[in-house]
Amino acid sequence: MKNISVNVNAKLSLINKNIFGHFSEHLGRCIYEGIYVGESSSIPNTKGIRDDVADALRQLEVPVLRWPGGCFADEYHWMDGIGKKSGRKKMINTHWGGVTEDNSFGTHEFFDLCELIGCEPYIAGNLGSGTVQEMSQWIEYMTFGGKSPMSDLRKKNGREEPWKLKYFGIGNESWGCGGNMRPQYYADLYRQYQTYCRNYDGNELYKVACGPNADDYNWTEELLKIVKPWHTKAISLHYYTIPTGDWGKKGDAVEFTDEEYYNTIKNAVKIDEIITRHLDIMSAYDPKHEIGLIVDEWGNWFDVEKGTNPGFLYQQNTMRDAVTAAFNLDIFIKHSDRVVMANIAQAVNVLQSVILTEGEKMVKTPTYHVFDLYRPHMEGEKLFICADSSDKDGVPTLSCSASVKDDTVFFTVTNADLNNDEELEVTFGDFMPSKIKAEIITADDIHEHNTFDSSENVTVNKFENFAFNGNKLKIKLPKSSVAGFTIKQ
Ligand code: AHR
């Protein structure tokens, strides 16, 4: 029996809903086919955007969507993606399969997508191969309402009113695919580029500087010697979970051993220490904590599915992904006083997707269902939790979070153990639960996943294996499961 104590009176930081954000890149079948099929497609669509996918993302209450990359962002020239589609310039997507990008999905289509989903746009600007003028004009095109060359061009292209744009990243992975820069060089460039990203007509940009790759603490340190709170609102962190730790042979998405499974968790939870250490460095340079940390790319990265284009990064998604998604979200919630956003890579058909598509078919993955289950944590107040630990050869197998909103407590808990159910006794201080609704995501086999022919193998189901007495909640949590409890007094 493990004990968990939730202190309902110890309200900690607000859980920013942007922690449940998503990322969409011009990569493989994420944008094209996955999200955008064009108006002439036989797949039901609105302005070329798939209705089924937009509906599924809207149901998830996706708060924010990052675009157009990733590595693609630093070779994207926005002017190629506006105006009449037949006149749009084509380019080679050199990072992702060398395919021809026809630019039919551009700025206007991205804002249409965000409107359909009901989310905030987060745009990554091109610092790697674009000019200061190009970036500055993009901001003017999107956000300036008065008369100017760029707003006239936007109006000519059918959009009278400027859009509201808050989140704007200046360069992506500038330490790697975004220009292979040294932190000092990038930091100076960042200061220059951001100068010309203006706030027009009351639109206030929330500028994001390219932060570190995983545990590159030197990048954070050197960056923050030069980039100050008056230059940036946040810095980004990218961290991917590779089961084997070997980028050359990452491991299969569906066929994995128990050892690989536990190693995936071991590598996923490393992000906790990584975040902690970056935040410590950030505190030294920004003691008032004015600069936030955005984990703008995270998730499991496996070998691509056999028979698919290696540059398209398509992978299946199993119950293992559900478990690691829950562990990750718990870590972001734990750090929610300073982690202001996190975007899983990527929304559709790429890496740890929440949605997979094949022609007109669409399936929600186990990861989708975890995001769905966790929705009540959005904008809740994180509660102090003290939990016994549980592990398998040193790899944690128990993870949980609790929040409160409008006098309703929401508690999520994951049992990652492959063979053993976990008995839990959860107490809530002087909060006496009277009404509990519980849901669970689980599968007998950790390799279970959803397919286009059998789409409900892993989904959210009602859970009843619990009892409460006074302020105590006793739960028998099945092996390999993620559960959520909505508790009213
Ligand atoms: O998400 C796939 C790629 O991973 C992104 O383009 C890049 O930023 C990262 O290396």
Side-chain angles (χ1 to χ4, degrees):
M1 163 89 73
K2 301 287 173 194
N3 291 299
I4 299 176
S5 148
V6 177
N7 188 340
V8 175
N9 299 316
K11 294 178 182 166
L12 307 172
S13 47
L14 195 79
I15 302 171
N16 195 320
K17 64 177 186 234
N18 288 340
I19 282 174
F20 303 89
H22 293 256
F23 167 41
S24 59
E25 181 168 10
H26 288 238
L27 192 179
R29 298 187 302 110
C30 180
I31 294 293
Y32 300 111
E33 287 185 45
I35 290 173
Y36 187 77
V37 286
E39 285 175 80
S40 58
S41 171
S42 58
I43 298 173
N45 68 81
T46 304
K47 295 186 183 171
I49 295 161
R50 292 179 73 125
D51 289 338
D52 53 356
V53 170
D55 285 350
L57 293 174
R58 191 174 45 249
Q59 280 164 25
L60 217 46
E61 297 178 57
V62 166
V64 63
L65 185 64
R66 181 169 178 255
W67 172 85
C71 297
F72 180 79
D74 278 298
E75 60 179 9
Y76 181 62
H77 299 286
W78 69 272
M79 282 214 189
D80 298 343
I82 56 169
K84 218 163 157 234
K85 297 216 173 174
S86 57
R88 294 191 191 177
K89 204 160 138 189
K90 295 188 172 48
M91 66 178 281
I92 310 165
N93 190 335
T94 59
H95 286 291
W96 307 119
V99 294
T100 301
E101 160 68 55
D102 71 1
N103 275 306
S104 55
F105 188 93
T107 305
H108 292 248
E109 292 76 17
F110 176 62
F111 278 101
D112 287 343
L113 172 64
C114 292
E115 269 169 39
L116 282 174
I117 299 173
C119 70
E120 288 256 14
Y122 172 15
I123 290 187
N126 178 352
L127 173 136
S129 71
T131 63
V132 175
Q133 183 184 23
E134 182 182 359
M135 189 180 286
S136 165
Q137 288 182 328
W138 199 7
I139 302 291
E140 182 187 323
Y141 184 88
M142 293 186 282
T143 62
F144 185 63
K147 185 155 178 55
S148 81
M150 289 303 112
S151 72
D152 285 351
L153 184 58
R154 184 191 68 239
K155 289 173 192 168
K156 191 173 142 230
N157 289 332
R159 172 79 190 192
E160 191 63 30
E161 293 301 316
W163 290 285
K164 279 275 169 230
L165 174 69
K166 185 170 177 186
Y167 301 105
F168 191 75
I170 298 178
N172 168 77
E173 296 194 353
S174 306
W175 35 261
C177 67
N180 284 302
M181 298 173 197
R182 295 172 309 115
Q184 299 83 353
Y185 180 69
Y186 168 75
D188 280 336
L189 278 187
Y190 173 84
R191 284 173 53 141
Q192 181 190 359
Y193 275 65
Q194 68 80 31
T195 306
Y196 301 95
C197 294
R198 308 286 189 195
N199 290 330
Y200 294 115
D201 295 325
N203 182 77
E204 204 175 319
L205 293 173
Y206 184 104
K207 298 172 195 168
V208 183
C210 168
N213 178 25
D215 58 358
D216 183 353
Y217 304 113
N218 180 56
W219 179 278
T220 302
E221 179 118 35
E222 295 303 322
L223 178 74
L224 293 180
K225 282 181 187 165
I226 300 167
V227 171
K228 299 295 167 191
W230 49 95
H231 302 126
T232 194
K233 287 269 194 251
I235 67 167
S236 60
L237 160 69
H238 289 187
Y239 179 74
Y240 284 100
T241 300
I242 315 295
T244 58
D246 173 2
W247 281 88
K249 200 168 182 338
K250 298 181 271 294
D252 193 90
V254 179
E255 302 297 324
F256 51 88
T257 61
D258 291 3
E259 191 189 347
E260 266 177 271
Y261 167 75
Y262 286 114
N263 279 339
T264 312
I265 297 173
K266 187 167 97 191
N267 290 335
V269 298
K270 279 184 185 160
I271 199 169
D272 192 2
E273 185 191 337
I274 288 172
I275 289 174
T276 306
R277 292 186 58 183
H278 285 299
L279 289 176
D280 283 349
I281 296 168
M282 289 168 71
S283 293
Y285 290 92
D286 168 34
K288 289 195 199 145
H289 296 172
E290 290 172 271
I291 300 178
L293 184 65
I294 290 182
V295 187
D296 66 21
E297 291 185 25
W298 69 271
N300 291 331
W301 192 321
F302 305 129
D303 290 335
V304 297
E305 185 159 299
K306 289 185 190 78
T308 65
N309 187 326
F312 281 14
L313 310 187
Y314 179 83
Q315 64 190 40
Q316 246 300 353
N317 197 291
T318 67
M319 190 62 215
R320 169 176 62 167
D321 294 270
V323 168
T324 58
F327 270 68
N328 267 286
L329 292 174
D330 288 341
I331 292 167
F332 301 149
I333 289 171
K334 173 177 157 192
H335 291 286
S336 56
D337 53 335
R338 299 186 59 200
V339 171
V340 292
M341 187 194 292
N343 304 306
I344 190 167
Q346 298 193 5
V348 190
N349 291 334
V350 171
L351 301 177
Q352 193 178 346
S353 306
V354 291
I355 291 171
L356 300 175
T357 69
E358 190 181 80
E360 81 277 353
K361 294 184 185 161
M362 183 203 88
V363 72
K364 295 171 180 171
T365 66
T367 300
Y368 179 100
H369 295 299
V370 171
F371 274 76
D372 191 20
L373 190 82
Y374 269 64
R375 272 184 303 127
H377 280 312
M378 288 188 191
E379 303 291 305
E381 285 176 283
K382 181 179 70 168
L383 294 175
F384 183 82
I385 288 195
C386 187
D388 284 348
S389 62
S390 203
D391 72 287
K392 166 84 182 157
D393 301 331
V395 176
T397 54
L398 189 63
S399 179
C400 56
S401 292
S403 62
V404 64
K405 195 166 44 180
D406 305 329
D407 293 330
T408 299
V409 171
F410 185 59
F411 172 67
T412 44
V413 59
T414 300
N415 177 13
D417 197 296
L418 283 179
N419 302 308
N420 302 301
D421 297 350
E422 191 78 88
E423 301 221 359
L424 303 171
E425 187 171 281
V426 192
T427 52
F428 296 89
D430 54 9
F431 184 91
M432 296 288 171
S434 70
K435 221 171 131 197
I436 303 188
K437 183 186 118 193
E439 292 180 310
I440 194 159
I441 302 165
T442 189
D444 282 342
D445 181 353
I446 192 73
H447 307 92
E448 192 62 271
H449 55 280
N450 296 332
T451 67
F452 297 105
D453 297 322
S454 184
S455 60
E456 303 280 308
N457 298 337
V458 183
T459 189
V460 180
N461 285 306
K462 197 167 169 202
F463 180 58
E464 287 176 325
N465 215 346
F466 67 89
F468 63 93
N469 185 359
N471 73 344
K472 281 193 180 60
L473 173 64
K474 286 194 175 183
I475 306 171
K476 186 144 192 235
L477 194 61
K479 64 187 172 93
S480 322
S481 65
V482 184
F485 299 79
T486 306
I487 308 163
K488 289 187 190 290
Q489 205 160 20

